[in-house]
Amino acid sequence: MTRRPPVARSLAALRRSLDTLRSRRATVALVPTMGALHAGHISLVRLARRRASRVIVSIFVNPKQFAPHEDFGSYPRTMDADLAKLAAEKVDLVWAPTAEAMYPDGFSTAIAPGGPALAGLEDRFRPHFFGGVATVVGKLLLQCRPDVAVFGEKDYQQLKVVTRMARDLDLGVKVIGAPVRRERDGLAMSSRNVYLSADERRSAPVLYRTLKDCAARLRGGEAVAATLEDGRRAVVEAGFALDYLEARHAESLAPLASLGDGPARLLVAAKIGHTRLIDNLKV
Ligand code: PAF
């Protein structure tokens, strides 16, 4: 059996481990996760490995990015299986802080991201989300001081928010996005896919199919508004409650009236049953 990576659960333990890693003149990559690791996360770890000589994976289900009605309590927690997967990838260190280590009693500081965090996509439906993400990612980056940090493009708006924050706060880290990993039928890999019933799982790839259809139509010169209108209808007809299907500028996330306005990204979020799924695609 491959040896489990060391797991730091307190800041003191993290600092000791980082001193050892750094004393070997290592370059360090951080892959922040909330655990429940799947092949998508493993692709982030492998990308991190190509960009740095040491790889740290953080596992922390961050209460600050869940609203009270969301799934913080039931979010899948699979630490043993996660550590086995990270051992197979020869990860150098796992940073799995306790809630108390991350947010000690009296914790009262928050990062309030602007720009891409206010693009009117996820923020419209999860107003608490990017504040929680920015605060915890800011802390993780300051705690681990990596040279690079890897985030999945699956959470595309999150990637843009973190990239902006790292620049704005001079965090001295290069933020790298990793392509979305998909199941064979196109469904984007997500820790929340385990919530889907068999019927919902069969319908779920409609999101990716719709993104692909819309992207092909836009590339073929069709109008943005009409294409999105048809895409929205297809998602709703497949049984989803649609939050948004939008075409945005791939960097600023500003709305796009036509493809001539810049590199485009299609982004979708929709609920099937109780499960909310998001996905996105380059046009
Ligand atoms: O994408 C995630 O899993 C989380 O939002 C992150 C970046 C680990 C912050 O908690």
Side-chain angles (χ1 to χ4, degrees):
M1 203 181 85
T2 333
R3 216 162 53 87
R4 298 268 167 122
V7 181
R9 308 235 352 128
S10 69
L11 272 173
L14 175 70
R15 287 191 182 124
R16 276 196 301 275
S17 300
L18 285 175
D19 283 348
T20 320
L21 283 189
R22 292 220 174 271
S23 65
R24 296 177 201 143
R25 289 172 169 260
T27 49
V28 174
L30 174 68
V31 182
T33 80
M34 297 205 299
L37 303 181
H38 50 66
H41 295 109
I42 300 306
S43 73
L44 306 186
V45 172
R46 291 184 183 164
L47 179 56
R49 169 71 66 211
R50 293 200 293 278
R51 295 304 197 93
S53 58
R54 298 284 181 273
V55 176
I56 305 174
V57 174
S58 65
I59 299 180
F60 181 66
V61 185
N62 173 33
K64 292 204 184 292
Q65 67 191 71
F66 292 78
H69 66 277
E70 291 183 339
D71 56 344
F72 174 70
S74 58
Y75 195 83
R77 288 161 171 87
T78 56
M79 186 58 101
D80 259 10
D82 291 350
L83 291 179
K85 288 175 188 167
L86 297 178
E89 298 303 317
K90 300 196 166 37
V91 160
D92 297 282
L93 176 65
V94 174
W95 170 221
T98 58
E100 178 56 25
M102 190 57 95
Y103 300 122
D105 240 10
F107 184 89
S108 32
T109 302
I111 297 177
L118 305 175
L121 296 163
E122 284 304 284
D123 48 301
R124 205 148 48 92
F125 298 90
R126 306 184 71 194
H128 56 282
F129 180 66
F130 289 119
V133 167
T135 300
V136 81
V137 171
K139 288 196 62 147
L140 290 166
L141 293 173
L142 291 167
Q143 290 160 345
C144 299
R145 289 254 158 230
D147 302 284
V148 303
V150 182
F151 293 82
E153 284 187 346
K154 152 91 183 347
D155 295 278
Y156 194 78
Q157 190 179 4
Q158 169 176 278
L159 172 64
K160 296 297 152 189
V161 169
V162 169
T163 304
R164 183 75 256 167
M165 174 181 76
R167 259 187 228 144
D168 288 351
L169 299 184
D170 304 320
L171 294 180
V173 62
K174 184 171 175 47
V175 174
I176 301 174
V180 182
R181 283 293 307 268
R182 300 185 179 282
E183 305 291 353
R184 290 165 75 92
D185 58 9
L187 175 65
M189 289 186 185
S190 162
S191 304
R192 290 191 167 98
N193 290 351
V194 298
Y195 298 153
L196 297 169
S197 70
D199 274 355
E200 291 162 358
R201 176 63 190 80
R202 270 190 290 281
S203 303
V206 165
L207 292 186
Y208 180 56
R209 279 207 294 279
T210 304
L211 290 174
K212 274 206 312 193
D213 286 352
C214 289
R217 285 179 59 176
L218 293 176
R219 280 189 218 111
E222 291 191 44
V224 172
T227 303
L228 292 179
E229 209 40 59
D230 290 348
R232 289 176 186 131
R233 195 172 321 112
V235 171
V236 170
E237 279 171 5
F240 286 85
L242 180 69
D243 281 350
Y244 58 81
L245 168 63
E246 298 269 352
R248 293 298 180 97
H249 189 286
E251 291 310 316
S252 68
L253 300 184
L256 280 187
S258 87
L259 277 202
D261 294 345
R265 196 96 189 177
L266 290 167
L267 301 104
V268 67
K271 231 172 159 186
I272 185 145
H274 294 296
T275 308
R276 189 168 180 279
L277 300 174
I278 61 173
D279 201 349
N280 67 88
L281 189 67
K282 183 177 174 200
V283 178

